[in-house]
Each structure stands twice: as C-alpha cells, then as structure tokens.
Amino acid sequence: MTRNQSIDILEVTTGREIWMMAAATSDEFRDGFPFLAGQLWLDLLNTTPTPGGVAQDLIATPGDAARWLAASGLAGSTGTPTPDEIGAELRALREELRPAVEILARGEPLAESLMASVNRRLAGLTGRHQLQQRSEGFALSFVLDRGVAAPAALIARDFAAFVCEAEPDRLRHCASDCCSLVFYDRGRNNTRRWCSMSACGNRDKVARFRARRVGAGG
C-alpha cells in the first residue's frame, strides 16, 4: 500500500469502506474476491464475508460463481453441469466444509457425512499416471484431467490434500471481532493475526489511531 493510500484510509469511517478499498488495491483480492487464505477450500469459505458487519454471499448467482471460478483459476474446469448447477454445488460444498475449520483446529475427527461428501466428489475426478524425467531422476506422477473435472471436485481434492498434510494450529480465524474470514498461516513464525493487512489490519490501525487522537484531545 502506498503512502497516499495509508493517509486516505485514516479518513474512511466504516469497515465496509476499508474492505472496498482493499478489494480495489490489494493483490490479495482478484476481481473483488478475497484470495488470501492460503488454500482454495478456505478461499471458498471466504465468499461469505461480513464487511462492516453486513453479511454477503459473493457467489449467490451463476454469474458471480463464474467470476469467482475465473478468479480462482478454475474457469476451465466446468465438467458438464449447467452454470446454475455449478453455483449450487459450490455453495453446497461451502456449507459442508465450513464446520471443518473448527473441527480440524481442535484435532477432532471429521463427520462421516463430510467424509462421504468429499469422497463422492473425488470419485468424479479422472486422470492418468505419467512418467516424468527430472534433473534429479525419474518420477511417477498422477495428472488430473482438469478440463473435465467439476470445480467442486477440485476444491474437495484441495481439502482432502490439506487434511492429510496441514498443521492444524496454523488454521485460524481473522482476529477482528467483526470479520468472518479464515486462513492458513504459512509464515515461519506462525503469528499471523489478520485475514489481510490491507483490510482488517488497516481497520485495526485506524481504530488505534483514532483512540490515540481522542486520548490526546484531538
């Protein structure tokens, strides 16, 4: 963020305005959607933000869902469903995955219903094994047929890989009381507090700045 943007943000009055400024200027947002969680399945959960305390559904319509898919890099992975069906599948998967944040953070088993839902979607993925020659030797990999994969299936795969490899204590909610976003902290020190320094981090700076100004009689 530039110095002028830092000055401007002290003049705004609401969390919603700060969110809109971040969405317009931060590289953590694409086409107005937050992509700051560090995992695609968490980015899907973050399509229901609460800027300024007002709940939103950023993929409520087929057009919105298509824009989110394009921003996420999954626009070419549509399979055969209609746009309406794709949007409905994304929203359904989002709600199925939402409880997993707390469950994984507590180190508890996932619900059987969630496991069944994820495995049902994974069953729709196809691909092929491929022998590759690299500088360090040979490797056998599995290449997904992404062009015929349903977006929800690819997000389910992202979730499945996450639960097998991630460190649960790095999964957390934004420290802002009025923010609903979640993220996976990939920093070395595991001390990240905010969903985004350009949104909630700056809102905290604004609040502390104003508190100091009031305390100083300004």
Side-chain angles (χ1 to χ4, degrees):
M1 179 167 289
T2 67
R3 182 175 183 277
N4 285 340
Q5 289 167 342
S6 297
I7 293 172
D8 290 344
I9 207 165
L10 296 176
E11 303 303 321
V12 301
T13 58
T14 68
R16 181 176 178 82
E17 288 175 319
I18 293 177
W19 171 276
M20 293 175 64
M21 182 179 291
T25 61
S26 172
D27 59 7
E28 294 175 314
F29 290 75
R30 305 175 205 158
D31 195 16
F33 299 105
F35 285 92
L36 43 78
Q39 287 287 151
L40 184 58
W41 75 276
L42 294 174
D43 287 325
L44 177 63
L45 297 190
N46 288 342
T47 57
T48 53
T50 54
V54 180
Q56 296 184 0
D57 186 346
L58 301 183
I59 57 171
T61 69
D64 291 336
R67 286 177 47 237
W68 185 84
L69 288 174
S72 71
L74 296 180
S77 307
T78 57
T80 57
T82 66
D84 282 346
E85 292 171 332
I86 292 172
E89 271 288 285
L90 289 177
R91 291 188 294 273
L93 179 60
R94 180 181 63 190
E95 297 315 306
E96 291 169 0
L97 294 178
R98 193 175 301 283
V101 174
E102 297 294 341
I103 293 171
L104 292 174
R106 293 194 300 263
E108 298 176 357
L110 295 173
E112 289 297 325
S113 58
L114 176 55
M115 293 287 291
S117 173
V118 170
N119 284 327
R120 174 176 60 83
R121 289 181 168 88
L122 292 178
L125 294 175
T126 61
R128 62 195 182 280
H129 285 93
Q130 186 176 82
L131 178 64
Q132 298 176 336
Q133 184 168 280
R134 302 171 180 171
S135 58
E136 65 274 15
F138 294 96
L140 181 62
S141 60
F142 186 78
V143 181
L144 285 173
D145 293 329
R146 295 178 65 88
V148 297
L154 292 174
I155 297 171
R157 183 180 183 276
D158 180 74
F159 172 77
F162 177 89
V163 299
C164 293
E165 302 167 357
E167 301 173 40
D169 65 339
R170 291 179 174 271
L171 186 61
R172 58 178 64 99
H173 290 269
C174 178
S176 172
D177 291 338
C178 58
C179 180
S180 63
L181 302 195
V182 292
F183 60 87
Y184 185 71
D185 187 354
R186 296 186 176 278
R188 177 180 299 179
N189 297 325
N190 193 20
T191 57
R192 179 177 169 185
R193 298 184 60 211
W194 310 110
C195 61
S196 170
M197 281 304 302
S198 61
C200 287
N202 267 321
R203 193 161 63 87
D204 178 68
K205 289 180 181 179
V206 169
R208 288 188 283 112
F209 171 83
R210 288 175 174 163
R212 288 195 302 270
R213 187 162 60 180
V214 169

